[in-house]
Amino acid sequence: MSESLTRRSVLAGMAATTVAAVVAPVVATPAYAAARQPLPLPPLRIPKLDMGVEQQPDEKIQWLQDAKLGMFIHWGVYSGPAKGEWYMENAAVTPENYRTYVTDATGEQFTATAYKPADWARLAKDMGAKYTVLTARHHEGFALWPSTHPGAWHAGQAPLRRDFISQYVTAVRDAGLKVGLYFSPLSWRYPGYYDVTGTNCLPNAWGYVTEPAHKENARIMKNEVYQQVRELVTQYGKIDDLWWDGGWLGQQGSDADAAFFWEPGKFRDTSNEWLVDSAYSENDPATGRPLGLTGLVRKHQPDIVTTLRSGWVGDYTSEEGSSVPTGPIRAGRVAEKCFTICGTWGYNSGASVMSFGTAMNILVNAWVRDMTCLVNVGPDRTGAVPTAQADLVRRIGSFMTTCGQAVYGTRGGPWNPVDGQYGFTYKGKTFYVHLLPGYSGTSFTTPPIGDARVTRVFDVTSGANLPHSMDGNGRVTVTGINRTRIPEDSVVAVMLDRTVQPTDIAVGKTATASSEEASQGNTAAKAIDGSTATRWCANNGNTGQWLKVDLGAPTSLTGTRIAWESDGANYRYRIEGSTDNAEWTTLADHTDTTSTSQVQVALFSARARYVRVTVTGLQAGAWASIRNLEIYDRPFTEDLGTFRPVNRKSGKFMEVSGV
């Protein structure tokens, strides 16, 4: 696996308009919170549609965001020569000679004699991981399971005759962990990988040159990919995570640039120059159209989440490498930081293991930016994880045992971190201050906490209460912090009398609408179910359509946030409030807005039982349709925005510092 590379262009933060209005009586701000700065709402993650497939909704990917720690396992034939997973290319070993690392009894033979995946699962649990990802097939093209494609090179062949994937999946699942598989579609065994058209062979380590026959060779490689992916998603039960890597062609351009060849979306084109044979493909049951890679995967694993490195947009982003995450919270998306602790990703007998301090610096800086971390180990040729790697992994686990409450299930924030100094995580009514080695001192003052009160402050490591005070602006100063117990991350918990973030009070309430696209399931209730993957839609494209929420009783309100169905569309609208469902007062008037932002925020101070959004204007082709109508009864500010830095060459998400 290469170092930090990535793919999409920077996405701007959302715009919002603030309108003040009154539905009598106006609610006064509590005296103790009068001068306090309210907290920003966390940005919404709205599933995007790409190549005919929509990203998984929050409810299907939340487990990854909550996990915060997983164990990556790079293990394959490269573990024999013990010089890293790119050894075949780095040393320009021909496919014929590379096979000898499986067949020949030498000190570099990949034997798997100590392969015990239950031990791997136990080590993952010792680290505190909630999921594991194993390299089912890396760039060398060796499959860790018996494959039926006639050109495949796999573990079912002599002398191994094993199904390592079956044993791995069983062991991980038995340990109560989520099951992940890594798969690389590229294979250095195929000259056609560098010359898919047979007319322009790209630079390569083996001296392959342009040959017309390479086009068919590339098609055979593609057939093998489809067959092997189908085997992985149909033969081993539920797979939770598919970690694509290597979607680019000839190791040039981006993964998305190669989509014309791999066809990673929902469907394949029957006129594509590199057809997948019917023996290795499947069709969509509903349409009869041939399925692309993501369509094939989703057909058999509807709940699976995947990376973006097949060329499809992916369900979550990946920041790869040992650089320390910097910059703001990775807001509005699910992000994973992956890095190896052993120099290379695959076993390298000459590499040293990362220090605990270095590993913790990466981990904590990722967590405070709302990232899950995938920490890689490289077992040796027998399948054993070397002692030095296991020791570091278990030391990370010791930290998680002590301070896991400040990591698992949290979100980064509510404030952005300060590079090299500190950051925050939060969950429910508690936020955690993570003091890094670069922060000096035994006291800390937080940003304003909005309209909340502090109920307790304590040292997470010891559980002991800590002295604290709060000024008139709502800043909390904590003193007496012990920086010596775990200097890599001194964690302080601040408990409040209410949730850290304002709560959407419309969720689960009663919603009605002027009309509903009931035949598609797009009812009024779908706009207040807390999911941005569902929506209310009117049953025609007329203006004047409205959506109304009954909060159950007159309530003091501070504002709304609306997520419209489509991004880039101009929805003009008016928000009204009522206490009796008869007389209505305008709370926010956006009838003349020219904004095309998908998410719109309105701040106001009012008291109402009913809130109604009426669509007063639509652009051609749009219908009144809302994914989420959120209503709040606590002060808040506009969200932090969205940040998506990418490397245009490879299609992989970068560290923020590299933008």
Side-chain angles (χ1 to χ4, degrees):
M1 206 154 52
S2 61
E3 279 295 312
S4 196
L5 301 159
T6 194
R7 157 175 132 196
R8 305 271 177 195
S9 60
V10 176
L11 182 67
M14 64 180 68
T17 303
T18 300
V19 176
V22 174
V23 176
V26 176
V27 180
T29 303
Y32 72 85
R36 296 185 190 175
Q37 178 180 340
L39 299 181
L41 293 177
L44 294 170
R45 174 185 175 269
I46 301 176
K48 302 301 181 184
L49 182 69
D50 185 39
M51 300 183 186
V53 187
E54 190 168 79
Q55 292 175 313
Q56 294 286 27
D58 287 349
E59 52 267 30
K60 289 191 177 183
I61 201 169
Q62 182 178 340
W63 71 263
L64 181 62
Q65 201 169 16
D66 288 344
K68 287 297 183 283
L69 189 61
M71 191 167 83
F72 217 165
I73 307 166
H74 273 65
W75 189 62
V77 176
Y78 45 82
S79 305
K83 296 179 177 66
E85 74 289 347
W86 280 67
Y87 172 69
M88 180 179 173
E89 185 192 62
N90 291 341
V93 183
T94 64
E96 294 75 19
N97 289 336
Y98 198 71
R99 279 181 175 270
T100 64
Y101 290 113
V102 175
T103 60
D104 292 7
T106 69
E108 295 182 324
Q109 184 184 17
F110 177 70
T111 64
T113 53
Y115 176 63
K116 296 179 181 178
D119 290 349
W120 289 356
R122 178 70 262 170
L123 184 62
K125 290 180 73 74
D126 288 347
M127 184 174 72
K130 300 299 183 182
Y131 67 108
T132 65
V133 179
L134 171 63
T135 49
R137 184 180 109 158
H138 205 268
H139 306 334
E140 62 188 8
F142 181 75
L144 291 179
W145 74 98
S147 177
T148 59
H149 188 275
W153 182 35
H154 57 84
Q157 295 166 335
L160 290 168
R161 295 191 174 92
R162 302 278 295 275
D163 187 341
F164 297 117
I165 298 300
S166 177
Q167 293 174 272
Y168 159 79
V169 168
T170 298
V172 172
R173 193 176 290 129
D174 287 349
L177 302 171
K178 296 284 189 179
V179 176
L181 294 173
Y182 166 112
F183 185 87
S184 170
L186 78 86
S187 174
W188 292 322
R189 299 173 55 243
Y190 286 87
Y193 169 65
Y194 294 95
D195 189 18
V196 296
T197 63
T199 61
N200 181 31
C201 193
L202 297 172
N204 60 86
W206 298 274
Y208 303 140
V209 296
T210 300
E211 291 185 18
H214 285 168
K215 183 173 183 179
E216 177 62 12
N217 183 260
R219 193 185 74 85
I220 294 171
M221 175 183 65
K222 180 178 177 181
N223 271 265
E224 182 180 308
V225 166
Y226 272 77
Q227 175 62 6
Q228 292 191 339
V229 169
R230 182 168 66 169
E231 289 167 352
L232 289 175
V233 299
T234 61
Q235 295 180 175
Y236 300 106
K238 182 176 173 60
I239 305 299
D240 301 290
D241 184 10
L242 181 56
W243 217 99
W244 296 107
D245 187 32
W248 52 2
L249 285 174
Q251 292 149 228
Q252 293 188 13
S254 71
D255 301 324
D257 289 340
F260 75 92
F261 176 77
W262 300 113
E263 299 184 277
K266 184 171 184 179
F267 297 117
R268 287 183 287 111
D269 184 351
T270 54
S271 63
N272 187 273
E273 294 183 56
W274 300 268
L275 290 175
V276 178
D277 296 337
S278 59
Y280 310 119
S281 65
E282 292 190 19
N283 294 332
D284 177 42
T287 65
R289 296 176 62 186
L291 292 171
L293 285 173
T294 303
L296 175 64
V297 169
R298 285 279 189 91
K299 175 184 176 182
H300 297 287
Q301 300 285 343
D303 297 329
I304 201 169
V305 298
T306 72
T307 63
L308 72 167
R309 297 186 184 181
S310 69
W312 178 68
V313 68
D315 298 301
Y316 63 94
T317 66
S318 177
E319 295 184 24
E320 178 187 321
S322 59
S323 56
V324 178
T326 58
I329 297 167
R330 308 307 193 251
R333 58 188 171 95
V334 178
E336 180 185 75
K337 170 69 177 177
C338 63
F339 66 98
T340 183
I341 63 172
C342 47
T344 54
W345 298 84
Y347 178 59
N348 187 332
S349 59
S352 59
V353 173
M354 181 180 286
S355 70
F356 177 69
T358 299
M360 286 297 296
N361 199 28
I362 300 170
L363 289 167
V364 179
N365 275 287
W367 291 329
V368 299
R369 289 169 175 82
D370 203 22
M371 304 172 75
T372 289
C373 291
L374 188 59
V375 181
N376 179 73
V377 298
D380 66 19
R381 66 193 184 93
T382 71
V385 176
T387 301
Q389 295 184 43
D391 288 346
L392 174 56
V393 161
R394 292 191 175 100
R395 192 171 178 189
I396 294 171
S398 178
F399 170 83
M400 297 301 287
T401 297
T402 302
C403 297
Q405 66 169 284
V407 180
Y408 296 126
T410 65
R411 297 294 180 264
W415 308 282
N416 273 314
V418 174
D419 288 349
Q421 299 287 313
Y422 56 84
F424 310 91
T425 56
Y426 73 94
K427 177 173 52 181
K429 296 182 179 181
T430 303
F431 69 86
Y432 302 90
V433 183
H434 297 258
L435 300 180
L436 300 166
Y439 180 86
S440 60
T442 58
S443 64
F444 182 81
T445 299
T446 73
I449 62 172
D451 63 340
R453 292 182 183 271
V454 175
T455 61
R456 183 190 175 203
V457 177
F458 63 94
D459 183 310
V460 171
T461 302
S462 67
N465 290 336
L466 292 172
H468 64 279
S469 61
M470 186 163 58
D471 66 19
N473 293 320
R475 292 186 291 256
V476 182
T477 297
V478 184
T479 58
I481 303 170
N482 189 316
R483 302 297 309 284
T484 63
R485 291 192 184 98
I486 306 180
E488 295 81 7
D489 185 17
S490 302
V491 189
V492 174
V494 180
M495 298 180 66
L496 307 177
D497 65 342
R498 61 201 68 190
T499 58
V500 176
Q501 291 284 3
T503 301
D504 171 19
I505 63 172
V507 173
K509 296 297 193 295
T510 301
T512 53
S514 54
S515 69
E516 299 176 326
E517 193 180 32
S519 62
Q520 303 297 318
N522 298 323
T523 61
K526 295 296 179 65
I528 56 168
D529 62 359
S531 173
T532 55
T534 58
R535 62 190 174 93
W536 159 71
C537 184
N539 65 5
N540 58 59
N542 297 336
T543 59
Q545 304 282 2
W546 52 260
L547 174 73
K548 181 173 65 179
V549 179
D550 180 359
L551 299 174
T555 305
S556 300
L557 306 178
T558 57
T560 62
R561 179 166 65 172
I562 299 173
W564 298 98
E565 177 189 353
S566 301
D567 192 18
N570 174 225
Y571 297 90
R572 297 180 292 280
Y573 60 101
R574 181 175 60 252
I575 303 173
E576 300 168 292
S578 173
T579 57
D580 59 5
N581 201 26
E583 296 185 12
W584 294 86
T585 300
T586 298
L587 306 180
D589 189 345
H590 296 261
T591 55
D592 295 325
T593 183
T594 59
S595 174
T596 57
S597 294
Q598 189 170 12
V599 179
Q600 300 280 323
V601 174
L603 306 179
F604 48 78
S605 178
R607 186 173 180 81
R609 171 176 173 172
Y610 303 91
V611 175
R612 184 173 66 189
V613 178
T614 301
V615 177
T616 59
L618 291 164
Q619 66 185 50
W623 287 19
S625 185
I626 293 176
R627 289 175 178 264
N628 248 35
L629 169 58
E630 300 174 343
I631 303 173
Y632 291 93
D633 61 355
R634 288 174 57 192
F636 66 94
T637 59
E638 297 172 17
D639 61 63
L640 295 171
T642 309
F643 201 83
R644 301 186 67 190
V646 297
N647 182 300
R648 295 190 181 192
K649 286 185 65 178
S650 69
K652 300 177 183 177
F653 280 77
M654 299 183 298
E655 297 292 353
V656 174
S657 59
V659 176

